[in-house]
Amino acid sequence: MATLAEPQDATTDDAFREEVRAFIAANFADELKGNNNALASVEGPTNETPAQKAWREAVGERGWGTPTWPREYGGGGLTRKQAKILNEELAKANAWNPIGGMGVMMFGPTLLEYGSEEQKHEHIPPICRGEIRWCQGYSEPNAGSDLANLQTFAEDKGDHYVVNGQKTWTSGGQWADKCFCLVRTDRSDKHNGISFLLIDMTSPGVEVRPIRMISGLSPFCETFFTDVKVPKKNLVGAEGQGWTIGKRLLQHERTNISGGGSMARMMGPTVSDIARKYGELDADGKLADPVLRDRIADYEIRWNTFLLTARRAAEESKASGGVSEISSVLKKLGTKLGQERAELTIEIMGLQGLGWEGEGFTEAELAGVRGWLFGKAFTIYGGSTEIQNNIIAKRVLGMLDHQ
Amino acid sequence: MAVLNEEQEMLRDMAREWATNESPVTEFRKMRDSHPDERYLADAWSAMAGMGWAGIIVPEAYGGSDFGWMSVGLVVEELGKTLAASPLIATTLAASAIVLGGSDEQKAKWLPALASGEKVGTLAIDEGAHHAPGKIATTVSGGKLSGTKAFVHEAHGADLFVVAAADGLYVVEKGDGVALSRRELTDQRSHAQVTFDGAAAERLADGGDSLLDDVLDRARILTSCEMLGMAQQVFDVSLDYLKQRVQFNQVLATFQALQHRMADLFADLATMRSAVEAGLEALDSGFGVARAAAIAKATANDVLHRMSREGIQLHGGIGMTDEYDVGFYLKRARVLEASWGSSSQMRDRFASLSGY
Ligand SMILES: Cc1cc2nc3c(=O)[nH]c(=O)nc-3n(C[C@H](O)[C@H](O)[C@H](O)COP(=O)(O)OP(=O)(O)OC[C@H]3O[C@@H](n4cnc5c(N)ncnc54)[C@H](O)[C@@H]3O)c2cc1C
């Protein structure tokens, strides 16, 4: 992508690797090893320990949580190669990237592409330092898959807009500082009447109500806007350009959802690890149940082909500049595999894998059950599997609408 | 739909009406939120018992109606549709073990109380997280039974446990030497690890070597009935939803991608119904029960699995909310899938029974 950093650092790779190692040694406390909260992105902020805070600040200061973003906006300014080295060294040290959330995954890259200089300088650095939480104000009660049907209206009042309407399924809405929102600025044109607006969640007139999910968690909300005043400087791109910008953001969202990263974190160890732990092994150390062994191998082979495809797509899109429609293919495949992994895990664990709370289950087992249920959303949010199929058929394959 | 006689039709209609009016999913929700110890509403259970449902497979001589398995299956299916929480299946299965394996004296001692619903019974078979009737470590010596049973359904309301020991099935009454430790599963029903420590036990000696298998086949078939009701309901609710939800200025039901999905699910449901009803018929006729049970449970597992996933997906975001019922079916589905035999275990059993 044009806006992403070009190499700025003359350090050789080896020297850079040394630099990363030294940085981790100096800043990553031993007590943090393997202690990443897998559900943090779903459950919202947990109480950050001093060690976690110190680690987040150190990484944020360097911009290494967003390693390839430009240095001038607080990113790491690293080359892809260096970012890879950084990841490798983090993994070796059993450390993790503490900077995440929708700001990093979706909003940041979109703003880097479409935002004004002023907007980038205002919004990108706090994202890079992990100081701010963004939520996504897209869906409405009658605008789900048909996102362009949204009705939340922003009325032009000269130097500001006044926003009225209701969003729904706003993940993390109750914890977010700001919301990137699609709003209607023109009622006469379905697609060109949409604008991309940034709304401060602390503005008067913003109200969030958490919704409880089947997993027992309540990480998503109904969000109501009543006469919310939003300064014009918070309009990204031109008025009426929101649909284009919004769709680009969705491509980033899809790439991230399907990347396996978030799902893998929620799901924990691999299926075969779990099977080795819960299942029976024969004298050779193989899984004793040949049918299960076959199914796990089948699953893991498909998971590997998916990861290979994701990698190939990333390389190709880098070469051609930016995310693309292939994100629909990855989203469709990756989310299904994520769900299958959870289902297979439950089956391997039997009733031990279905605990809800209380005695007789480990933390990991209980988290697995919640993750399995939460994971049913993978194929719904960010554009459902059915919508990805429509996108592939229409935009990639050139097949026509049947109506 | 199986051809029903008049009595069966009346029974089914009565069960449907009762479940719809007196025990809709809001009642399940009420139970979940108030979580009574036994994880069902006592009033609902006494109403069911009052209608004679606990005694449907019990001979008249022992206080039952002897209406047969098809009849109890119809009732269980209707209750499955609304997730009516009760120990009906558990009690029926415990009674069936006594019918099949009890002496006249034992039948006279326990069946009337089970048939009237005065006492709740349940099966305590498996000792781990997976169904494994071939691996029973529980033993009995001098009339005292010792062993630990994992994940016993409806244990908290149970007065009577039909327990698998290494040398057969035993009846153990709640009381000395019986300790429960709750296991809160995702379906929010009663499950417990039950530890028997020298509990007084009576052997069901008249059922022959196949008694355990015979009882388990009944468990598989009756559980499949509940699963059928659940699958049917998820299907119906999803279809209704697709017919009313508007996106892209059209009701979702007009999209061919969804039409074909529903057609596939409908076909699945048809096979599930045939498999389950064939299981009930086999029980009533006494022929081919084991194979029919394997077919019923394998099919029920697979179809309900698919249906419960599709139910959420077709509802979109609202399917993920606790406020909508469809998630409850997903959670109960996995518990039932893992009980009394997974699909691969059932396929393995089918192959063995078929001689390959
Ligand atoms: C856990 C979770 C988190 C979310 N987080 C956010 C968030 O942070 N911010 C936000 O704005 N939104 C969020 N969403 C909303 C999400 O993007 C929508 O739920 C999604 O776009 C689907 O819309 P819907 O729920 O209205 O389903 P509907 O559009 O009503 O769809 C129902 C079903 O019909 C199918 N369908 C719809 N149209 C077609 C068609 N043309 N052809 C074939 N099938 C079709 C769908 O695929 C789906 O299976 C979240 C959702 C979930 C579940």
Side-chain angles (χ1 to χ4, degrees), chain B:
Chain B
M1 180 86 56
V3 182
L4 304 179
N5 63 34
E6 209 175 310
E7 267 170 355
Q8 288 168 333
E9 265 179 34
M10 273 173 55
L11 185 64
R12 185 207 46 207
D13 293 347
M14 179 175 155
R16 184 171 296 171
E17 205 171 304
W18 186 83
T20 316
N21 298 330
E22 308 298 326
S23 186
V25 185
T26 46
E27 289 294 295
F28 170 78
R29 217 175 256 285
K30 202 159 103 190
M31 185 284 290
R32 185 215 35 194
D33 294 337
S34 63
H35 54 276
D37 197 40
E38 56 279 16
R39 297 292 188 270
Y40 53 77
L41 297 172
D43 288 353
W45 172 235
S46 43
M48 290 182 205
M51 292 181 279
W53 294 349
I56 295 177
I57 58 101
V58 174
E60 288 178 41
Y62 300 107
S65 60
D66 210 4
F67 273 1
W69 288 92
M70 180 61 78
S71 300
V72 72
L74 293 169
V75 172
V76 166
E77 180 191 337
E78 294 304 326
L79 298 178
K81 288 183 186 169
T82 65
L83 298 170
S86 83
L88 179 63
I89 292 184
T91 301
T92 301
L93 294 173
S96 81
I98 296 169
V99 169
L100 291 170
S103 62
D104 289 346
E105 203 181 310
Q106 288 170 326
K107 287 178 186 166
K109 183 168 164 194
W110 287 308
L111 287 178
L114 290 173
S116 68
E118 179 199 325
K119 282 194 190 299
V120 165
T122 192
L123 301 180
I125 313 288
D126 291 317
E127 301 182 352
H130 291 274
H131 180 54
K135 284 188 203 144
I136 305 286
T138 296
T139 52
V140 181
S141 93
K144 303 281 183 199
L145 181 142
S146 294
T148 298
K149 298 295 179 181
F151 302 104
V152 175
H153 288 249
E154 307 299 345
H156 297 91
D159 306 288
L160 215 66
F161 297 86
V162 171
V163 187
D167 63 338
L169 289 183
Y170 288 78
V171 178
V172 175
E173 292 185 77
K174 178 175 83 178
D176 282 352
V178 181
L180 268 57
S181 169
R182 191 179 289 283
R183 290 293 178 272
E184 205 73 74
L185 295 185
T186 179
D187 68 347
Q188 319 268 327
R189 294 281 298 271
S190 158
H191 302 276
Q193 176 181 292
V194 182
T195 307
F196 299 95
D197 185 8
E202 273 189 44
R203 178 145 193 258
L204 298 174
D206 291 358
D209 288 345
S210 67
L211 180 62
L212 175 59
D213 279 339
D214 293 342
V215 172
L216 288 174
D217 286 337
R218 282 156 180 74
R220 289 166 189 143
I221 292 168
L222 209 52
T223 301
S224 299
C225 295
E226 180 179 351
M227 297 169 85
L228 175 62
M230 290 167 64
Q232 179 75 55
Q233 184 69 10
V234 172
F235 182 84
D236 289 346
V237 166
S238 302
L239 183 60
D240 282 351
Y241 186 71
L242 295 182
K243 286 181 180 172
Q244 73 152 63
R245 169 79 170 163
V246 176
Q247 294 278 272
F248 306 97
N249 297 322
Q250 304 183 43
V251 284
L252 290 177
T254 59
F255 292 113
Q256 203 171 53
L258 300 180
Q259 292 171 348
H260 288 189
R261 288 257 287 285
M262 293 310 283
D264 280 345
L265 291 172
F266 185 69
D268 283 348
L269 194 55
T271 62
M272 182 181 188
R273 179 170 293 286
S274 323
V276 172
E277 288 180 354
L280 294 167
E281 276 164 8
L283 284 177
D284 283 332
S285 70
F287 291 110
V289 171
R291 265 166 61 106
I295 294 171
K297 187 65 172 29
T299 310
N301 283 348
D302 292 346
V303 175
L304 181 60
H305 186 99
R306 232 173 356 258
M307 193 73 81
S308 59
R309 289 174 73 165
E310 289 281 30
I312 305 271
Q313 180 69 20
L314 293 166
H315 277 78
I318 62 164
M320 292 296 297
T321 63
D322 186 76
E323 196 185 327
Y324 263 68
D325 296 337
V326 64
F328 290 148
Y329 293 81
L330 175 75
K331 296 191 236 188
R332 176 77 172 155
R334 295 302 175 274
V335 173
L336 297 180
E337 278 174 55
S339 302
W340 316 125
S342 66
S343 297
S344 60
Q345 285 175 320
M346 291 297 97
R347 287 193 288 266
D348 181 58
R349 184 164 159 81
F350 178 84
S352 304
L353 290 165
S354 311
Y356 63 94

